[in-house]
Amino acid sequence: MEIAERQEALERIHRAVQQCTRCPLHLGRTNAVPGAGPVTAEIMFIGEAPGFHEDQQGIPFVGAAGKLLNQMLEKANISREQIYITNVIKCRPPGNRDPRPDEVEACRPYLQQQIEIIDPKIIVTLGRYSMARAFPNEKISRIHGQPRRIEGRIYFPMYHPAAALHQPSLRPVVAEDFLKLRAVLDGEIDVPDYDAPPDAEQLSLF
Ligand code: URA
């Protein structure tokens, strides 16, 4: 597909998300938050769910976690303009509670289509919800910063920036993982295939 066609397809998904009524979260939202960034992005970041500021503005990662994300990106010499960023679910859960399985399920087609159209070289999963799709039954404390190839694409699990806000000792850990992401992007690190634990139920990727 030509870039213009892919751009158009991505904008169609964004519009569908903005009008979505597939789950009850639409009743409480100010704005749905489809995602932001160029269709040509080599890196796609997938967070959990919009928070207060994202709901207000309709743009992902514009609140406190987003500010920390921007700082980490800058240190790794990656600009926000070169990445595509979205969330597992596109509407803010009340009180920022954890997403529910039915909400994740309702949003899944949007995320799947976003991945298909953008076709990023690297998917960075931010936090547990996003990680759990690619790395079922894993613990973020064990696998963060360890990219793996799954079905030809690189998946890079990271702590959620909000975790580093609540737990300052995680900051240097997250910063180091971002530097590793830079190295993967530059092809300086060989990324092994993912060897799923034997008890892992293999979910469809996102
Ligand atoms: N946290 C997320 O997971 N996503 C956002 O967009 C903002 C905060």
Side-chain angles (χ1 to χ4, degrees), residues 68 72 75 127-128 140-142 144-145 158-178:
L68 184 58
M72 297 288 175
K75 279 193 192 148
R128 287 179 300 130
I140 191 128
S141 55
R142 197 180 80 80
H144 73 89
M158 285 211 195
Y159 278 108
H160 195 288
L165 285 178
H166 298 133
Q167 208 179 319
S169 63
L170 278 182
R171 264 183 187 236
V173 176
V174 175
E176 198 173 310
D177 287 352
F178 269 85

Side-chain angles (χ1 to χ4, degrees), residues 47-51 54 60-61 65 87 160:
E48 183 174 314
E54 290 77 21
F61 284 92
N87 287 298
H160 195 288

